[in-house]
Amino acid sequence: MMVKREILHLIKKRFFQKKAIILVGPRQVGKTTLLQQIIEEYDQSDILFLNCDEPEISQVLKNASSTELKNLIGNKKIILIDEAQRIDNVGLRLKLITDNISNIQLIVTGSSAFDLRNRLNESLTGRKFEYRMYPFSIAELISATSCLEEKRLLEQRMIYGMYPDVVNNPSDAQKTLIELNNSYLFKDVLMYKDIRNPDILTKLLIALSLQVGREVSYNELGRTIGVKSETVERYIELLEKVFIVFRQHSLSRNLRNELKKSRKIYFYDNGVRNALIQNFKSLELRMDTGALWENFMISERKKYIEYNEIYSNTYFWRTHTQQEIDYIEERDGILYAFEFKWNEKKKAKVPNSFATAYPQHEFQSINRSNYLEFITKTNAIQ
């Protein structure tokens, strides 16, 4: 199935503005395929594609001077550099290209955010647009199939996730996800110099998988897996940078009994989470359907916000007396509050203490009957 990626139009509207376009995201998410789609839209004589997974390519770029880079690029107009984190001094090389070669568009991809960003931030300050690419979104799949088809496949998406290879080969979904976990997603983290014990990383990921939708304590996680809380925090930061998990912090401003330094941790992809705990049971046989629904909705909303360039602060909210709201977006002085209910018959209402403390708010319950309106521009009735 050919799926048009929403990020493509964001990238193309930034073309030829004298800045590099940086595209980061996890392995196997479709970055190289996206570059191929870009190539197909232009005259091949205008394209230079450099795959840095090939040692000879990364070696050529490693120490190239501005003159050598000019000779390499020649009359090409679009320069695509794939897996750029492979290049030593990549930031300086890209700066030389951006500063010394006019009338080109440089597009750079990387899987390892901590490698690529650390090497680019200083060298390309003011010289780049940066985008993140995720597994397929529901909005993207609807454009390739239909609303009705995606509604029919909702349970499958919640269990197996949205990685392109998983979506395109559903009969091999379990095998694909296990291979993805073992061979790709953790590769960048395990190569990092501060990861001394891969078994601890695996234990941490399993522990996080079992706490989706709940507040996470670094101290408790550390006691569970046998390391210091500082180690837990560092590992989680690395897992964020390779797009496996992301943190959500609590909103705390007006009430004394609000949780002030709490956080939840979600997975970018439900399938990756389920593969970690080896649980691909149907929803009717699971005890964690509510957690899967919450993770799925928040990860899909994250894609929606970024691909539509909606700028929001995001939180959850809870008090010591167990009043809570699953998810909050803050825009233009208004708090948009959401509760996620898999069972549409379960009613949800905003807690009185929240409504009193934050009168500038809107509240909505997201369930199976209205979820498409929350994560796409599509009317859910279609």
Side-chain angles (χ1 to χ4, degrees):
M1 177 171 58
M2 189 63 185
V3 178
K4 185 176 181 180
R5 306 307 299 266
E6 288 193 301
I7 201 170
L8 184 59
H9 83 275
L10 295 179
I11 291 173
K12 288 174 65 177
K13 77 178 184 180
R14 298 296 189 183
F15 273 20
F16 299 105
Q17 296 185 25
K18 299 181 180 180
K19 293 186 179 183
I21 293 173
I22 311 299
L23 180 63
V24 295
R27 296 175 184 273
Q28 303 293 300
V29 83
K31 298 187 297 298
T32 303
T33 301
L34 186 76
L35 295 185
Q36 295 294 339
Q37 291 176 351
I38 293 172
I39 288 172
E40 291 171 1
E41 296 185 14
Y42 291 88
D43 192 312
Q44 299 304 296
S45 63
D46 291 332
I47 303 289
L48 177 62
F49 182 83
L50 300 170
N51 181 1
C52 297
D53 273 336
E54 299 179 14
E56 59 270 26
I57 298 295
S58 57
Q59 188 62 35
V60 166
L61 292 173
K62 178 179 178 181
N63 296 308
S65 65
S66 58
T67 300
E68 291 169 329
L69 289 169
K70 285 181 181 178
N71 291 335
L72 176 65
I73 291 169
N75 294 321
K76 306 295 185 183
K77 292 186 172 68
I78 297 178
I79 318 304
L80 307 173
I81 302 180
D82 200 15
E83 298 297 345
Q85 76 274 1
R86 305 283 191 212
I87 309 170
D88 291 337
N89 302 316
V90 62
L92 179 57
R93 302 282 88 73
L94 300 182
K95 180 178 182 294
L96 289 173
I97 294 173
T98 304
D99 288 352
N100 294 292
I101 305 176
S102 58
N103 300 318
I104 66 163
Q105 180 56 61
L106 178 63
I107 305 173
V108 180
T109 77
S111 300
S112 173
F114 53 74
D115 271 352
L116 192 55
R117 283 181 179 157
N118 288 347
R119 299 179 190 183
L120 294 184
N121 281 343
E122 185 174 342
S123 300
L124 286 185
T125 300
R127 298 177 175 87
K128 64 180 172 68
F129 297 113
E130 183 175 321
Y131 296 97
R132 286 180 282 188
M133 189 171 179
Y134 301 108
F136 286 152
S137 69
I138 288 292
E140 289 170 335
L141 293 180
I142 285 174
S143 69
T145 58
S146 67
C147 286
L148 288 176
E149 179 68 0
E150 286 310 309
K151 283 186 173 183
R152 184 183 72 82
L153 294 172
L154 175 59
E155 178 171 340
Q156 182 172 321
R157 305 301 189 216
M158 285 176 60
I159 294 171
Y160 295 104
M162 308 287 279
Y163 268 85
D165 202 17
V166 171
V167 170
N168 287 322
N169 301 283
S171 62
D172 291 326
Q174 290 189 33
K175 182 179 179 181
T176 300
L177 283 165
I178 291 169
E179 178 68 17
L180 187 69
N181 276 5
N182 292 340
S183 301
Y184 294 105
L185 291 184
F186 308 143
K187 186 176 181 180
D188 289 316
V189 183
L190 294 176
M191 290 174 62
Y192 194 65
K193 62 183 180 180
D194 283 354
I195 300 297
R196 299 182 179 89
N197 191 336
D199 290 339
I200 293 296
L201 183 66
T202 301
K203 290 178 182 178
L204 174 60
L205 282 162
I206 292 173
L208 293 174
S209 299
L210 297 172
Q211 294 192 36
V212 165
R214 304 202 302 253
E215 296 138 66
V216 167
S217 163
Y218 294 155
N219 287 325
E220 289 180 10
L221 284 170
R223 286 194 294 270
T224 299
I225 64 177
V227 297
K228 295 180 180 179
S229 61
E230 293 83 2
T231 301
V232 169
E233 184 171 11
R234 187 174 78 251
Y235 278 24
I236 288 174
E237 287 174 355
L238 294 177
L239 291 168
E240 278 191 295
K241 290 175 180 177
V242 292
F243 309 104
I244 296 173
V245 301
F246 59 95
R247 284 176 286 188
Q248 194 83 352
H249 294 281
S250 58
L251 175 72
S252 175
R253 293 176 186 168
N254 289 346
L255 299 178
R256 289 183 61 185
N257 68 341
E258 288 174 328
L259 299 181
K260 292 180 169 54
K261 293 184 179 180
S262 189
R263 85 282 295 170
K264 293 183 179 182
I265 295 177
Y266 296 96
F267 282 77
Y268 278 103
D269 188 76
N270 274 30
V272 169
R273 182 264 183 183
N274 288 332
L276 283 163
I277 59 174
Q278 294 287 295
N279 186 352
F280 297 103
K281 290 181 180 179
S282 63
L283 297 183
E284 62 185 12
L285 300 175
R286 304 181 73 108
M287 301 296 292
D288 60 353
T289 299
L292 282 180
W293 179 241
E294 183 175 330
N295 195 100
F296 188 65
M297 285 295 96
I298 290 179
S299 61
E300 284 299 303
R301 182 68 175 182
K302 190 174 185 68
K303 299 171 192 175
Y304 176 82
I305 285 175
E306 292 203 25
Y307 290 162
N308 289 280
E309 297 188 304
I310 299 169
Y311 301 102
S312 295
N313 296 319
T314 61
Y315 311 94
F316 73 95
W317 179 83
R318 193 172 185 185
T319 68
H320 290 288
T321 56
Q322 309 304 307
Q323 292 184 309
E324 61 182 331
I325 295 175
D326 290 334
Y327 178 71
I328 296 170
E329 293 175 3
E330 180 183 35
R331 291 190 302 278
D332 302 323
I334 298 175
L335 297 177
Y336 298 87
F338 302 92
E339 275 288 303
F340 303 113
K341 299 294 184 184
W342 172 246
N343 185 348
E344 60 261 54
K345 294 181 180 180
K346 287 189 175 181
K347 303 301 180 183
K349 64 178 183 178
V350 63
N352 290 332
S353 58
F354 180 88
T356 301
Y358 303 104
Q360 294 293 103
H361 77 272
E362 296 184 13
F363 178 79
Q364 189 176 9
S365 177
I366 305 299
N367 54 53
R368 282 176 284 176
S369 67
N370 65 359
Y371 75 99
L372 287 181
E373 298 169 3
F374 179 64
I375 58 176
T376 75
K377 292 180 179 179
T378 307
N379 188 319
I381 297 175
Q382 294 179 339

